[in-house]
Amino acid sequence: MLKNVSPVFPKEKRPVLMLGPCGAETREQVLQTAEGLLDVKPDLFRAGIWKPRSRPDSFQGVGETGLDWLIEVRDKFGIPVATEVANGEHVRIGLQYGVDVFWIGARTSVNPFYVQEIADALKGHDIPVIVKNPVNPDLDLWIGSMERFAQAGITRIAAIHRGFAFHGKSVYRNPPVWEIPIELKRRYPDLQLLCDVSHI
């Protein structure tokens, strides 16, 4: 199912630079960050506006307001923009604003019900989708998430390796467990595989 998907970024483009704040907090923060990145010519400006935090009293993101800021970045600086979506309503709102790329976070890709809801919301919209590995080291779950988007008619799909949840001591924030992305690439050599070094 993934053998016929196209890369989100041109194959000859290396390295791919997706840069921006983890969470969009203010318009000033978003615009200043984007302007500060112009010299390195990012391929994509990314910022989370819906943040899936573990604790209910943590910052959950600014929500739809942040989409105005992202679109302003694109219009002012000419950089395509991306944000994380975790349900069908996020997709509907993101499409309405004209977000260029959606990404599926590790906390969402771990749940096939969430992924299917997002895939169903994307039917008829061939927008690029980037899928982060699930929080747990399960290759088939990661592949299955991408297959759901392919079945929904999404033709431009990329995988992001961001490491895996781990309890105990490690030099990594999220241990990379390299054998999993390597096996993904072995099975699907044409699938675009990116590395999220900030999470690892």
Side-chain angles (χ1 to χ4, degrees):
M1 177 60 78
L2 295 179
K3 296 183 191 271
N4 297 320
V5 298
S6 301
V8 171
F9 302 97
K11 283 187 175 183
E12 65 277 5
K13 172 62 182 155
R14 288 172 184 260
V16 170
L17 295 178
M18 295 183 293
L19 306 171
C22 177
E25 297 175 16
T26 67
R27 175 180 175 271
E28 292 71 27
Q29 171 228 25
V30 169
L31 291 174
Q32 286 175 8
T33 302
E35 187 171 18
L37 294 170
L38 291 177
D39 286 346
V40 296
K41 299 180 174 57
D43 299 285
L44 195 66
F45 184 84
R46 47 87 66 222
I49 61 166
W50 295 289
K51 300 300 296 177
R53 302 293 194 198
S54 301
R55 306 293 293 273
D57 293 331
S58 300
F59 176 63
Q60 306 288 317
V62 295
E64 185 176 346
T65 300
L67 289 173
D68 282 323
W69 308 338
L70 288 179
I71 299 309
E72 189 174 352
V73 164
R74 184 182 62 204
D75 293 346
K76 187 171 185 178
F77 302 117
I79 311 169
V81 295
T83 199
E84 178 176 352
V85 290
N87 59 45
E89 181 67 5
H90 292 169
V91 169
R92 185 190 68 74
I93 296 169
L95 288 170
Q96 180 182 340
Y97 277 80
V99 172
D100 298 297
V101 176
F102 289 137
W103 88 76
I104 311 305
R107 293 171 184 241
T108 302
S109 63
V110 76
N111 189 313
F113 293 110
Y114 296 156
V115 174
Q116 191 61 57
E117 178 184 333
I118 296 166
D120 289 344
L122 282 171
K123 284 182 180 171
H125 303 276
D126 192 14
I127 183 172
V129 173
I130 302 171
V131 182
K132 291 192 175 186
N133 62 255
V135 289
N136 55 309
D138 185 332
L139 178 57
D140 287 334
L141 191 57
W142 194 6
I143 292 170
S145 293
M146 291 181 280
E147 287 176 335
R148 289 176 191 276
F149 291 108
Q151 287 181 352
I154 302 300
T155 61
R156 291 169 291 166
I157 299 173
I160 294 187
H161 176 228
R162 49 88 75 196
F164 299 93
F166 175 77
H167 179 71
K169 293 186 177 182
S170 173
V171 297
Y172 299 102
R173 178 178 176 214
N174 292 295
V177 194
W178 292 113
E179 56 268 29
I180 290 180
I182 289 170
E183 176 61 15
L184 175 66
K185 198 65 177 169
R186 187 193 69 79
R187 292 190 199 180
Y188 301 100
D190 293 330
L191 177 69
Q192 192 161 43
L193 176 60
L194 308 168
C195 186
D196 178 352
V197 294
S198 64
H199 277 85
I200 291 175

